[in-house]
Amino acid sequence: MIAEPNAASNLPSRKENAVHDETVPESAAQNGTCVRNGNLKTPREKRKVREQCENIRRNSTGSRRVSQLQNGEVVEAVTLFEVVSMGKQAMQSVVVDWVEAYKQDRNVALLDLINFFIQCSGCQGMVTAEMFQSLYKKDVMRKMTETFDKETGLQYKKFMAYPWILTVTWPVDMDNEDYPLIRTGPYWKKFKANFCEFIAVLVQQCQCSILYDNYLMDTIISLLTGLADSMVRAFRHTSTLAAMKLLTAVLSVHLNLDVNKHNAQRLYEVEKKRISGKRTSYRLDQLERKRKEYDHKLLEIQNMMNAIFKGTFLNRYRDVIPEIRATCIEEIGSWIKTYPDAFLNDSYLKYVGWMLYDKQAEVRLKCLLGLQGIYSRKELASRMDLFTNRFKDRIVSMPLDKDHEVAVQAMKLLMLMSQNCEDVLSAEDCEMLYQFVYATHRPLAVAAGEFLYKRLLSHEGDKEVQPRGGGKFGASTDQLKRLIRFFLESELHKHVAYLVDSLWDWAGKFLKDWECMTTLLLKNAEEAGEALSDAQESALIEIILAAVREAAEGHPPVGRGAAKKILSVKEKKIQLEDCTKITEHFIMVLPQLLAKYSTDAQKVANLLQIPQYYDLDVYSTGHLEKHLDALLREIKDIVAKHSDMPVLEASSRTYSILCREEMAIYGQVDCARTQMIDELIKQLNQLLDCFWQKEGGFCTDAGEISRMHSALRRVAAFYNAHDLTKWNLYDKTLRFLMFEMEHGNLPVLIILPALQCTYFSLLWQLAAVSENSPKESLFPLRRELRRFSQICTCFLHHKEKDVREKAFMILCDWLLILSHLDSNNNEEAVGFLGYLPNTPLQEKLFSFIKEHVFTDEEEEKKDLTEEGKDETCKLDDLHKKRSLLAAYCKLIVYNVVEMTAAAEIYKYYVKTYSDFGDIIKETLSKTRYNNKIQSAKTLILCLQQLFQTHAESQDSSSGVDFSSPSFANMKELARRFSLTFGWDQVKSRESIAMIHKEGIEFAFHGATGVDGKCLPPNLSFLLIISEFSNKLLKPDKRLVYSYLQRYITEPLSCRGDEWQPLVWYRNSLLANEDEETSVLGSLGEWPPMGSSKTSFKRKLSNGSLPETSQTEAASKAPEQQCASQLPSAVGKSRKRLKSQEMCLQEHLPFLCPGGLRRRYCKDEVKAEDVSEEGPAEDTIEDVDVVGTDQDS
């Protein structure tokens, strides 16, 4: 075998250990003798024959030497395998040389080719051959075996490759998962392509000469058939790929022969007519012989194809290895497409149809790709009626496949079927497929968008469908109306952005036809009856907004696509052009649309979002300031008319976008904004004068309260995006909150916007703190910050649920902001104004979450029954709960609240998984990223609290009931926690170790009795932490096991049923230790622990290790150092971890007792006592650990 490019320097040594080929000398082959390793008596004789065979092989291939520069050194390729490994540069010449060698001595050349296939299988063994012409058939069949020789430790594969019986010998420990075809990296990917190319070139070079000699192809086919029947995966995979590519290459020869035969037949007919009535000419006889020769060759080619198909394909298309099945299906798809006259029938199509149900996505994908090649040609699709009827339902269901690529290709196949097969898809099928435009996976949605556009919207080629609307926008208008109708009928009105994104690649032209869309909106009902209904107008406005956003931003909507894609230069140019067109058109049209729909809150809220995608320079460069004035007037009127928050927020955002200081239009917009806010504040002051009465009360008139509510909402909406500090609104809004705290009579309609206004006012004051702000000026601000925190805390217990939830959301954001202040590098201000919640406040926050989010199911059902809520209300309530939980979890993630508070949240992970599982899991992930050790302690704390609650609810006399639902829930929760650590055991090593350490200490906490013989009260907790045992590395399992032994001194006391949790936990630690498990299991008791005895009475404080003897205490490290040093023995490369306790005490957190030394052997496990005077010599077992460095 040739070395990889990065190991070229080792090539000479690699060649010495390469595959040994024992070829048969020509004289020996002719005499029918056998050259086999087993027939030679001495090593000297074996070496002599091997050298002789090597000389013959090298002499035969001497003209085929190829040199290539690798890593600065010249590497010479001698064998076919080495040449193919190097690349395609010399492929043609090498094959030509091999053909010439075959013509000189076909036996030696064929054995060289046989050895090539064996080497390509990754076999590091030996190939021998013997002639079998003199053997009877039954003797031949007896030799066709695949056995294992126990004495030599070698595997033997014997099979027939005409005219030889080949014997392949290889070590039994040959890595079945590592051979050239499945190795990763660009080098081996090229090897696979070169391997396939070699077979194609070989057949191409042989087609005019030796392909039909009844020797070459018989040998190759029998070789590949024999190897494809092996139990060794490498042989099966390599030979199957070779056989399939061989059939493909032979098929191309068949097609060429077919063309030549057809041409010869035409020439024959012409010549026959030309000499009609005359004697037979020489030319006619020559053409007749040529035609018969083509017939003979075609017959031989057909026999070769049948032999490969029946000998390899029929046995391997159902192989247990998915790569082999995929190879077979991929090739049969190409055969059907290339040579439909022979393969496009049910005898071959059925295999493709059957494998559509394969469990592996790779195989299903190859089936779909093959069918796409067939259905893309209309002349072939018309011959697929029976297959289509049989497997259509399966194909229609495959867009739901769990593999994204399979789903995408299935949708593309259905598109081809609908185009080239008449009435193959029913209306129900199409309706189901249309809905995939709302899929979150964008390639699938785009494929469904193509299906929807070509099937429903465009009607390309359908002459019966004519545009009903005349004039300039007739065709686009009809397409838009069909799209609107589909959108309304799908009843997924909030997903219009997904619909537009799915159609963008196919219908982008008419989706960018802003003029047509706005003209359709501005039409009057009297104009030829083409005006839209109210629902259609709303849908069209949503489509316009989504299309504008897609054109301006150039990336998919949120939730479809992992991140914003990087636009190419061409895409950026198109994006800028679209932004300019949007601006130029809507600058003039948008004021008209706002004027028409000024009373419709939903339409206005959508239309007001369009200016954020403007190129604002167009206003000044195009001298369109008059249109800006018209827009500002319309927005001002809309703010005066509406009090809905979506409309007000959209208006405020539009002013914020237009009022940028760097823009030329800033002065004009700022003047209009100031004028509008002056009017709002003036209206609010007038209402306040009427609202507060002289007696210290307030006006209870419903009309006044409603007007006050609207005014406060308008101010709150603009306070969010604009600094209104100069209007002095803080004291006015704070008065509402103080009055509510003292008297508690204000309506909710006033409390909520007043709370928001006060919050925004303080945020703007915080943002105004400059670098040079004196400390004296910060005292009033600090006082107001603390006061507002107290107000929000007080409102957590308000009688109105809406007020409680609003106060909680604001308080969480408020605490997050105050704990992460960044006042323009003014460190003194940060320290002075910063604020962290104290313990009572943290408890109140969690109590709120427990009461409002994690409510009992019975209470929830009771509330739903009483209020008669429908499905929409349930979803709204769930959304509110998720928002509350996310706000609280944010405090945990950003260390505003102690991480241990997450333990209370984790308790509900399993119970509320469907509603809040994603939020809790993300919190766990973020906290683990912040601090792995503390996060692990939080997990174990959660389980400990649940266990204590469970133990308190049980009868103390009966012990812990393992079959109770609460205990089962704890085990399930621990299992879910274990799954969150993933597959990288090295990365999570510290955390898992800490969980076991804390769990063991908790399980034996409180154990009393003479010599520790009394059952620890928390012993059954070991069953809970056993769920984490499978995440331990093997060396760590031994260390945890040793740490566990510290708490066990009397083996006889562990035999009762009440000690079963300890036995089960021990077994989970020794699950992969076959030697220890067998010995300990046979003894039925713990291994002897030595002469040093300890008691269960151990002092546990602050999670420290239990007190031990003086010898142990002298070697014990602090807890934090122990946990952090655990992975220090693991590096980037493969390393040895010594299991010697003296070494482990320096690196790992589990410290064995000073008097204990363990001895590991191959056949048994022993534990021996070591006196303090002279410790015995240890036998060290090395443990291989493969891993990477720990993340910082």
Side-chain angles (χ1 to χ4, degrees), residues 566-577:
I566 300 176
L567 301 178
S568 63
V569 176
K570 181 179 179 181
E571 289 174 334
K572 289 181 179 179
K573 182 180 178 182
I574 295 174
Q575 182 184 6
L576 294 175
E577 291 176 354

Side-chain angles (χ1 to χ4, degrees), residues 411-531:
M411 184 62 70
K412 292 181 178 180
L413 175 59
L414 289 166
M415 180 70 251
L416 295 173
M417 292 173 65
S418 67
Q419 286 179 330
N420 298 325
C421 300
E422 296 181 359
D423 302 327
V424 66
L425 297 177
S426 63
E428 293 78 10
D429 294 335
C430 293
E431 289 295 331
M432 188 270 290
L433 296 174
Y434 291 156
Q435 301 304 316
F436 283 98
V437 295
Y438 299 108
T440 55
H441 184 60
R442 191 173 190 274
L444 176 59
V446 170
E450 178 188 7
F451 184 82
L452 173 65
Y453 177 72
K454 294 182 178 179
R455 181 87 182 185
L456 185 66
L457 301 181
S458 66
H459 288 288
E460 295 178 357
D462 193 347
K463 297 181 180 179
E464 297 179 1
V465 178
Q466 297 294 335
R468 292 174 293 179
K472 184 178 178 181
F473 308 110
S476 297
T477 301
D478 285 345
Q479 286 184 331
L480 277 174
K481 289 185 175 179
R482 284 195 292 269
L483 178 60
I484 293 170
R485 192 180 308 113
F486 167 76
F487 175 58
L488 294 176
E489 291 173 355
S490 64
E491 298 181 353
L492 294 171
H493 307 299
K494 295 182 181 180
H495 296 77
V496 66
Y498 289 84
L499 173 62
V500 171
D501 181 59
S502 302
L503 293 168
W504 195 253
D505 294 345
W506 306 102
K509 184 177 180 181
F510 88 84
L511 287 175
K512 293 180 183 179
D513 195 348
W514 322 117
E515 188 177 357
C516 175
M517 295 180 181
T518 52
T519 302
L520 196 58
L521 284 174
L522 294 173
K523 280 182 179 293
N524 295 322
E526 299 82 24
E527 298 181 17
E530 295 183 2

Side-chain angles (χ1 to χ4, degrees), residues 1076-1094:
E1076 293 186 73
T1077 303
S1078 60
V1079 174
L1080 297 177
S1082 61
L1083 294 175
E1085 59 184 12
W1086 293 98
M1089 294 300 298
S1091 59
S1092 61
K1093 296 183 180 180
T1094 57

